[in-house]
Amino acid sequence: MEPNRTVGPSYPDRHAELVKRCQQGERRAQYELYQQYVKAMYNVCLRILNHEAEAEDVLQEAFMDAFSHINSFRGQSTFGAWLKQIVVHRAINHLRSRRLELVDIESHRLGEDDGLDYADTEPYDEDNTLLEVERVRKAMQQLPEGYRVVLSLYLFEGYDHEEIGNVLKISETTSRTQYLRGKKRLLELL
């Protein structure tokens, strides 16, 4: 092994210099890093919490956590991925404090046919994409919390069902069921 090589994966991070300055306690760097990520992380919070004021509060707490623990960031992922993990965990914990109620899978019949898959029947129409995104966003806001959270983590944040189960402290089967039921309900709303 070469003497200057590090063990484990290392990811190039376009904000590495800002992170280094933050680790040295530079407030200006914290502000710049905050500005780089605030919109994207707010959207993550909003998708999970479905409440603007709560999303803003959780976002601020997540940034405070990130900056107070910035010295534990080792560059094994990008700063954005590390921050997103903090944001998602903060949002989930906030939901728990609101007593997140997931739909009980025992009250539903498993294996039920979800019907026609609309994704396969609709041609792609570039002109209406923005209108459709807004329609989906509004429909997502109408979903019960459990469905919305699982759908958001799976579809938007890229979590798999095992990770969702760990974060929400539910079984992988419950996560899959919440996803399927949420997807079905979303299609009904659309």
Side-chain angles (χ1 to χ4, degrees), residues 120-181:
D120 293 336
T121 62
E122 293 291 318
Y124 180 69
D125 183 358
E126 220 173 304
D127 296 332
N128 291 323
T129 301
L130 288 177
L131 293 174
E132 287 300 307
V133 167
E134 183 62 19
R135 216 173 105 213
V136 169
R137 189 186 66 75
K138 286 182 179 178
M140 286 283 291
Q141 290 175 338
Q142 296 175 35
L143 291 174
E145 228 169 50
Y147 290 166
R148 189 186 71 254
V149 171
V150 171
L151 278 172
S152 292
L153 290 174
Y154 187 82
L155 295 174
F156 301 122
E157 310 312 329
Y159 282 53
D160 63 29
H161 291 292
E162 181 181 359
E163 292 170 318
I164 293 169
N166 289 335
V167 168
L168 296 178
K169 296 184 180 10
I170 59 176
S171 71
E172 190 174 331
T173 303
T174 300
S175 174
R176 288 181 190 282
T177 302
Q178 290 285 322
Y179 171 75
L180 291 173
R181 302 289 179 216

Side-chain angles (χ1 to χ4, degrees), residues 2 10 12 107 113 149 164 190:
E2 296 174 25
S10 182
S107 65
D113 183 16
V149 171
I164 293 169
L190 292 172

Side-chain angles (χ1 to χ4, degrees), residues 32-51:
E32 289 175 34
L33 208 50
Y34 174 85
Q35 291 297 84
Q36 292 292 318
Y37 287 99
V38 68
K39 287 181 184 177
M41 296 302 134
Y42 172 76
N43 287 329
V44 169
C45 283
L46 189 59
R47 282 192 295 265
I48 293 171
L49 297 171
N50 201 31
H51 190 277

Side-chain angles (χ1 to χ4, degrees), residues 61-168:
E61 291 169 5
F63 269 105
M64 287 172 46
D65 279 354
F67 289 135
S68 65
H69 296 98
I70 192 111
N71 288 323
S72 69
F73 176 69
R74 300 285 177 232
Q76 294 173 329
S77 66
T78 62
F79 177 78
W82 183 75
L83 177 62
K84 187 179 201 178
Q85 188 175 24
I86 293 170
V87 169
V88 167
H89 282 276
R90 267 283 180 179
I92 297 300
N93 287 338
H94 184 79
L95 278 181
R96 281 197 189 105
S97 73
R98 272 205 270 161
R99 303 189 79 176
L100 171 68
E101 292 182 26
L102 298 172
V103 175
D104 179 16
I105 64 170
E106 300 303 319
S107 65
H108 292 66
R109 285 182 293 199
L110 295 176
E112 202 174 271
D113 183 16
D114 286 336
L116 183 61
D117 187 352
Y118 294 100
D120 293 336
T121 62
E122 293 291 318
Y124 180 69
D125 183 358
E126 220 173 304
D127 296 332
N128 291 323
T129 301
L130 288 177
L131 293 174
E132 287 300 307
V133 167
E134 183 62 19
R135 216 173 105 213
V136 169
R137 189 186 66 75
K138 286 182 179 178
M140 286 283 291
Q141 290 175 338
Q142 296 175 35
L143 291 174
E145 228 169 50
Y147 290 166
R148 189 186 71 254
V149 171
V150 171
L151 278 172
S152 292
L153 290 174
Y154 187 82
L155 295 174
F156 301 122
E157 310 312 329
Y159 282 53
D160 63 29
H161 291 292
E162 181 181 359
E163 292 170 318
I164 293 169
N166 289 335
V167 168
L168 296 178

